[in-house]
Amino acid sequence: MSDSAPYEVDECRGVLRVYSDGSIWRSTEPSFKVPVHDDGSVLWKDVLFDPLHNLHLRLYKPASPSSSAKLPIFYYIHGGGFCIGSRTWPNCQNYCFKLALELQAVIISPDYRLAPENRLPAAIEDGFMAVKWLQAQALAEAADSWLTEAADFGKVFISGDSAGGNIGHNLAVQLGAGSPDLAPVRVRGYVLLAPFFGGTVWSKSEAEGPKDAFLNLELIDRFWRLSIPIGDTTDHPLVNPFGPQSKSLEAVELDPILVVMGGSDLLRDRAKDYAERLKAWGKKIEYIEFEEQQHGFFTIDPNSEPASKLMLIIKTFISENSC
């Protein structure tokens, strides 16, 4: 029996450390230390949506909506390679403030169980539970009036950033394949922001991308190593939609999907291929690429010109698919 002290074997952005004995350390601080811009123009609150796993979501709505009509609901599922991130992180909260105001929508930002303590499919299951929670609110006689008085349960859009985009895709497949009816909740479309897909064969953008990219290949591999089920590979169906063990999506009834990528994102080729394959099968899917932008550009600098253009594109997508 060795008396040597445990040593670090994996580290993610300074907020997650995994040690040789299997122990894990998580920081209570976010990896993105930016000020929270809460000026009172958006109201927000936290809600427990899964008591079993102590999971919360954060609700946002404009303090002074631009009309008296009920607002569409827009899920924003945070990223972090399935290993890090939270609805409470300032970069997530600031982006949700912006989404609520500019989309004039109720924003739902759920947490989900993180790897490596909870490997896939835990995060996908939690994303589904967050949508089922909304259905329960729509059906409950004693539902939270903070939400029900503002929200239109017939106009729901599910969005996710990076790992959250992967969750969004898997929810689209699950719901499109005939999962339990969510009525009166009606999902109208999905906005996949730099969705985190993988595979055992590198794409061209992964293999040739800059080593100093915000999301570089080493970090991509580390996130997958920590999050996929033990013994599986990155061709797991939840990771690679077109892997050798993945069921064909050709017959799945998918709601409209908007895929957004930065041109300098190492994940670009996978997302573009995803959109092209689905479009070839007749799915209603739109692919938008922002030249020279990196992974997560819209939350890194939500006031930039590309981020502002993206917000208009999302707003148009919601408008076009709300009927």
Side-chain angles (χ1 to χ4, degrees), residues 37 91 94-95 98 102 296-308 311:
H37 302 295
N91 61 317
N94 286 335
Y95 197 56
K98 205 160 187 65
E102 300 204 16
F297 68 90
F298 40 88
T299 56
I300 292 172
D301 187 359
N303 296 312
S304 67
E305 183 180 352
S308 298
M311 194 67 73

Side-chain angles (χ1 to χ4, degrees), residues 30 33 45 48 61 100 129 155 166 172 176 193 204 207-208 221 225 227 235 266 291 308-309 312 315 323:
K33 295 181 180 178
K45 63 182 283 189
L48 178 68
K61 64 181 179 181
M129 284 296 295
K155 296 179 181 178
N166 176 298
L193 302 169
K204 188 172 185 290
E208 300 179 6
D221 284 346
R225 186 170 65 251
S227 63
D235 277 334
L266 270 65
E291 188 177 355
S308 298
K309 286 182 179 178
L312 293 175
K315 192 168 187 177
C323 298

Side-chain angles (χ1 to χ4, degrees), residues 5 21 38 41 44 51 90 93 138 171 180 204 240 253 297 318:
D21 64 351
D38 186 358
S41 59
W44 61 276
Q93 186 156 10
L171 289 179
K204 188 172 185 290
N240 185 354
E253 296 291 332
F297 68 90
I318 290 174

Side-chain angles (χ1 to χ4, degrees), residues 277-288:
R277 291 201 197 200
L278 293 186
K279 192 167 189 176
W281 284 329
K283 312 304 180 187
K284 187 176 180 182
I285 186 162
E286 183 178 4
Y287 175 80
I288 301 288

Side-chain angles (χ1 to χ4, degrees), residues 27 49 106 123 126 137 159 169 232 259 273 281 301 307:
S27 173
F49 77 90
V106 172
D126 297 339
Q137 289 298 304
S159 172
H169 155 74
D232 272 308
V259 180
D273 176 66
W281 284 329
D301 187 359

